[in-house]
Amino acid sequence: LHKIQLQFSLNINQQANLIPGLNLNALGIFSSGLPVLPPAAGPRGAVPPVAPAGYNPFLSHSSHLSGLYGVPPASAITHQHSAPEQEVVYLFIPTQAVGALIGKKGQHIKQLAHFAGASIKIAPADTPDVTERMVIITGTPEAQFKAQGRIFGKLKEENFFSAKEEVKLETHIKVPSTAAGRVIGKGGKTVNELQNLTSAEVIVPRDQTPDENDEVFVKITGHFFASQTAQRKIREIIQQVKQQEQKHQQGAAVSPHYSK
């Protein structure tokens, strides 16, 4: 068992390098004995001080390391010269888990939003019999990391997944239609590499009609760390495409009479 836990830890340390700009230790991933969220005003026990069995969204249920709990000091998070870009992620959770995520009088979801520094909204159900509900999370990469990690953990704590079952959820992110081909890669090479690298399932649905912002959806399914790594890698591709487009536009503006 100790060997298995050690191997998981090694894998996490190796995979941590795949998420640029995020310091997992600084974000409180492996801190122990810290509160799940700031204590709520109300009856004792409304918010458990720690998750049952110290659930960690990265590790199997057998691990005794604490999970994504505790707020890191502001100085611990990587600072950038410009404000980090706000990202929107659409996370799908079981319909029966909505009440647990919201909490009594909305206390849990308010605390979670404050803890993560993110906007968290639950979209209304299209029909009464839907099995999943969409959670719309808006925030910086760090806020996404904390909010999504806490939601994965909450579903495990509330037993929406069995003790031996890994929490795997589907997330959607929007990418510019001009970047969709780069995410897929020639003959599907890039998307296959993404899946092998992250262990998440990554799908760019075919024949999508771009929305009013000329964006299309990418679907990512996997456990928390797999999903996070895939999200970050796809965001990297988007940035590369945007930078190339900007360079091309600047080059065209400087040399309008010459073609490359």
Side-chain angles (χ1 to χ4, degrees):
L1 180 60
H2 292 300
K3 288 183 179 178
I4 293 173
Q5 290 177 7
L6 177 61
Q7 186 61 47
F8 267 107
S9 299
L10 290 173
N11 288 341
I12 288 168
N13 289 332
Q14 291 165 359
Q15 290 176 328
N17 296 324
L18 301 177
I19 303 185
L22 289 179
N23 183 331
L24 302 191
N25 292 324
L27 286 170
I29 301 305
F30 300 114
S31 55
S32 60
L34 295 176
V36 175
L37 291 172
R44 184 177 179 182
V47 178
V50 292
Y55 174 67
N56 185 307
F58 301 143
L59 305 183
S60 68
H61 64 282
S62 62
S63 172
H64 296 289
L65 292 174
S66 294
L68 185 59
Y69 313 129
V71 183
S75 60
I77 298 177
T78 303
H79 291 283
Q80 299 179 354
H81 294 297
S82 58
E85 186 177 349
Q86 295 283 309
E87 300 175 350
V88 181
V89 174
Y90 306 86
L91 176 66
F92 293 83
I93 65 171
T95 297
Q96 63 267 33
V98 170
L101 180 58
I102 294 173
K104 189 176 182 180
K105 296 183 179 180
Q107 282 299 306
H108 185 268
I109 198 166
K110 288 177 184 176
Q111 292 170 17
L112 173 55
H114 177 72
F115 162 77
S119 165
I120 303 172
K121 298 178 181 178
I122 300 175
D126 295 329
T127 59
D129 58 346
V130 292
T131 59
E132 290 185 319
R133 291 282 293 277
M134 183 170 69
V135 182
I136 305 168
I137 306 169
T138 305
T140 64
E142 288 83 358
Q144 291 290 349
F145 190 88
K146 293 166 76 173
Q148 293 178 51
R150 189 65 197 92
I151 292 171
F152 274 72
K154 183 68 172 175
L155 297 184
K156 189 72 170 185
E157 292 164 24
E158 299 289 344
N159 298 316
F160 291 108
F161 291 79
S162 68
K164 294 183 179 180
E165 190 179 6
E166 198 168 19
V167 180
K168 290 186 177 182
L169 300 175
E170 181 175 316
T171 59
H172 293 181
I173 64 174
K174 287 183 176 181
V175 306
S177 60
T178 53
R182 285 284 294 275
V183 174
I184 297 169
K186 189 175 182 179
K189 181 182 178 182
T190 303
V191 77
N192 287 335
E193 288 176 348
L194 265 173
Q195 294 186 128
N196 292 333
L197 179 71
T198 66
S199 78
E201 181 183 24
V202 180
I203 298 174
V204 184
R206 295 180 179 276
D207 303 322
Q208 285 189 77
T209 301
D211 64 11
E212 66 277 7
N213 296 318
D214 197 29
E215 293 180 321
V216 294
F217 278 109
V218 176
K219 298 181 180 181
I220 302 165
T221 304
H223 60 76
F224 172 66
F225 203 94
S227 179
Q228 279 295 307
T229 311
Q231 288 176 46
R232 299 266 59 83
K233 285 296 178 183
I234 292 170
R235 301 284 187 194
E236 277 186 12
I237 293 172
I238 295 171
Q239 284 302 114
Q240 289 169 3
V241 171
K242 285 182 177 179
Q243 288 170 1
Q244 288 174 354
E245 288 176 347
Q246 288 173 356
K247 286 181 180 179
H248 181 74
Q249 289 170 359
Q250 290 170 355
V254 172
S255 306
H257 301 297
Y258 299 94
S259 58
K260 293 184 177 180

